[in-house]
Amino acid sequence: MKTICSLLFTLLVPLFSLSAQSPNAGSIPQRLDDYLTAAQRADRFNGVALVLHKGKVLLHKAYGVRNAAIKAPNDTATRFPLLSITKSFTAALILKLQEQGKVSVNDKVSQYLPGFARGDSITIHQLLTHSSGLFNYTDLIDEADSALVCHPVPKQRIIDVIQSKPLSFRPGTQFSYCNSGYFLLGLVIEKATGKPYEQAMHELILQPLGMRHSGFDFINLPTNSRAQGYDTLTARYYSPYPHPDSTVLYAAGGLYSTTGDMLRWAKTVANRQLLSARSWQLAFTPHRNGYGYGWYTGQFGGKPYLRHSGGYPGFMAEFVYYPAEDLTIVLVNNFGNYADSVFPVVQSLSVVVFGMPDELWLPRQEVQLTSELLRQYVGRYVADQPGGYGMDIVLRDGQLYSLGHHKDQLPELALFAGSTDHFFPQKYNSRLTFERDSSGRVMRCIIEENGQRFAWKKVD
């Protein structure tokens, strides 16, 4: 899934610091709960949240329903797919095997998969860091393929798909997020251990950590123990989405878990347990695009984090760890589509723990404005603050959109009218208000979020 961020931080993160203001009233656990309750009511979160700070659980609570048809609620024992968070576990297993002398990250793929095309030119390191140039096999999967991928698929069938496509670049020269690389890592693990990948994961990672409620065959779990996934889930409408078999997602995204088990993983990561200090250092060392071995590195509000997200229509998941603050946030959510993310929810929860002002989600109702009125907002806007930040407001097929002047500032966002001159983006807890001069001409746009307010002057 495409990653999206807090709207103001995406636009203006260099312009202000998270330490600028005092916190709102109320205890941190209560504010976390209030925020998630409001987010669930506004159809922005439906799942289970875990917030761990300095070894103390601040919040561990379920929200919404695991099955909308029977109105069965989520609880902290509900199992959810971790999807691409699986990559952090697969990378940890590779590093454990390296400690045992069974694998080296510098080995060629051909050493373990001798028949794999171009295996002599790709290393395990390149598989781990998404720099192999391999075709991403999941690009070929959508809902129309559910009759195939919701049942066990032979590994060779997926290998054949990966091998049939040319490399998109010379291995080691670029970054391109690639599930194929982690699929092959599962096969490397099987060759190195002489055991199925799933068994090796249980024996070397899950069992030592006591993660007894985690595994791989998600779609065949009892229905009362797992969440149903929905591409759309609101108080008024829901649409179930078929989840693929674990043999399809495999070492790239096949692991399921509970937040109780993920608490064990969170403590392991924070305390650098299970693996050696050297292995954890390798895992967290960023390479191209800030990606290590199964981890993204980055920062929010100037605070560095280690992170991985997971997403497939029906489910979203986030694992974010701020080392300096010893703060871990885990979210599992059972709705979503390709353009969705729960990372904005992570950011708002982070703001609460960091002691910054926060705002609750409010249910928002779209109203229809005429094209004549919408055209009045079209134009170029520049931030009052220095730095050259700007956005264009455009109108396409009766829909208003905002576009950042720089590609790293702002993704294209559809803007929905709450009333005349007042708009909101669906996936952000933000408000855009257009202000007019005495003649009624639109003169600027005000963006507000989490107690922050920034003005953008209309320049044409």
Side-chain angles (χ1 to χ4, degrees):
M1 288 186 181
K2 182 179 179 181
T3 298
I4 59 176
C5 304
S6 162
L7 180 56
L8 283 180
F9 272 90
T10 303
L11 289 167
L12 300 167
V13 68
L15 302 184
F16 62 95
S17 166
L18 278 175
S19 60
Q21 299 184 27
S22 59
N24 293 344
S27 70
I28 290 178
Q30 184 61 56
R31 287 166 58 203
L32 294 170
D33 185 32
D34 289 346
Y35 175 84
L36 289 166
T37 298
Q40 191 271 321
R41 289 173 179 167
D43 303 322
R44 298 313 313 151
F45 181 70
N46 189 92
V48 187
L50 168 68
V51 181
L52 178 69
H53 188 219
K54 297 181 179 178
K56 178 183 178 181
V57 175
L58 297 182
L59 181 86
H60 187 198
K61 187 174 178 179
Y63 301 82
V65 295
R66 63 171 172 80
N67 189 309
I70 60 175
K71 296 182 171 59
N74 277 314
D75 60 49
T76 55
T78 303
R79 292 165 169 86
F80 287 78
L82 295 181
L83 300 161
S84 283
I85 295 176
T86 302
K87 293 179 174 66
S88 300
F89 289 83
T90 297
L93 184 47
I94 287 286
L95 290 169
K96 173 60 74 174
L97 294 176
Q98 180 170 256
E99 291 175 10
Q100 296 177 349
K102 296 179 179 179
V103 168
S104 168
V105 297
N106 298 314
D107 289 342
K108 301 288 187 181
V109 170
S110 57
Q111 183 172 331
Y112 304 89
L113 308 175
F116 184 78
R118 299 178 295 274
D120 287 335
S121 63
I122 300 171
T123 65
I124 291 176
H125 167 84
Q126 290 160 354
L127 299 182
L128 286 164
T129 57
H130 300 292
S131 58
S132 67
L134 290 169
F135 171 75
N136 183 30
Y137 76 97
T138 55
D139 288 348
L140 299 179
I141 301 174
D142 60 23
E143 189 172 12
D145 300 300
S146 60
L148 172 65
V149 300
C150 293
H151 302 280
V153 175
K155 294 183 179 69
Q156 190 60 49
R157 185 164 189 169
I158 295 176
I159 294 170
D160 290 344
V161 169
I162 298 170
Q163 291 186 115
S164 69
K165 306 291 185 179
L167 293 177
S168 57
F169 53 82
R170 183 165 56 87
T173 62
Q174 298 181 42
F175 175 95
S176 181
Y177 191 86
C178 184
N179 288 307
S180 298
Y182 274 76
F183 191 96
L184 295 184
L185 287 171
L187 300 177
V188 169
I189 289 166
E190 294 195 354
K191 184 70 172 180
T193 62
K195 300 174 181 179
Y197 160 79
E198 296 85 352
Q199 182 181 346
M201 180 64 72
H202 274 287
E203 292 180 357
L204 294 175
I205 304 294
L206 302 181
Q207 289 177 7
L209 298 183
M211 297 179 67
R212 298 187 300 274
H213 306 291
S214 304
F216 289 91
D217 195 11
F218 178 77
I219 63 175
N220 291 312
L221 288 170
T223 55
N224 63 356
S225 70
R226 61 179 171 90
Q228 168 64 50
Y230 301 88
D231 59 7
T232 304
L233 177 61
T234 72
R236 300 162 299 283
Y237 174 79
Y238 60 87
S239 173
Y241 197 97
H243 196 68
D245 190 81
S246 63
T247 58
V248 175
L249 300 180
Y250 188 49
L255 186 62
Y256 69 78
S257 192
T258 66
T259 47
D261 274 9
M262 290 303 287
L263 173 59
R264 296 174 181 272
W265 175 244
K267 290 180 177 179
T268 300
V269 172
N271 296 321
R272 307 294 197 273
Q273 298 171 333
L274 186 68
L275 303 178
S276 69
R278 173 59 178 161
S279 290
W280 283 116
Q281 181 183 6
L282 289 172
F284 299 151
T285 298
H287 299 280
R288 294 181 183 275
N289 282 51
Y291 200 90
Y293 289 171
W295 295 92
Y296 274 106
T297 62
Q299 58 178 276
F300 172 61
K303 299 181 183 296
Y305 62 64
L306 300 159
R307 171 193 175 204
H308 218 296
S309 60
Y312 185 88
F315 294 97
M316 297 182 283
E318 285 284 349
F319 185 104
V320 180
Y321 173 56
Y322 298 90
E325 289 73 24
D326 194 11
L327 170 65
T328 303
I329 298 175
V330 181
L331 298 179
V332 286
N333 183 91
N334 58 316
F335 75 82
N337 217 317
Y338 287 110
D340 291 328
S341 170
V342 286
F343 191 54
V345 178
V346 168
Q347 290 176 305
S348 292
L349 298 177
S350 302
V351 162
V352 171
V353 179
F354 295 153
M356 286 297 297
D358 57 279
E359 295 176 333
L360 301 182
W361 276 91
L362 296 175
R364 300 180 291 190
Q365 187 67 40
E366 181 187 5
V367 301
Q368 297 301 316
L369 302 182
T370 65
S371 293
E372 180 182 0
L373 183 54
L374 291 175
R375 276 193 290 271
Q376 295 177 19
Y377 308 114
V378 171
R380 173 156 289 204
Y381 295 76
V382 177
D384 284 352
Q385 294 79 9
Y389 294 92
M391 65 178 173
D392 292 322
I393 302 294
V394 300
L395 181 64
R396 298 196 206 114
D397 301 322
Q399 176 68 60
L400 213 61
Y401 295 88
S402 65
L403 299 88
H405 287 178
H406 304 292
K407 64 181 180 178
D408 59 344
Q409 274 186 44
L410 181 69
E412 180 175 311
L413 294 174
L415 302 178
F416 301 89
S419 62
T420 300
D421 294 345
H422 298 276
F423 291 79
F424 59 89
Q426 286 281 17
K427 298 176 178 64
Y428 298 95
N429 193 19
S430 311
R431 299 175 301 282
L432 288 80
T433 300
F434 292 91
E435 296 185 343
R436 300 173 182 268
D437 60 20
S438 58
S439 67
R441 180 177 177 273
V442 174
M443 58 182 293
R444 64 178 180 170
C445 175
I446 306 297
I447 301 178
E448 298 173 272
E449 181 184 290
N450 283 338
Q452 302 286 344
R453 184 179 187 272
F454 287 90
W456 298 68
K457 181 180 178 182
K458 191 171 187 288
V459 295
D460 66 8

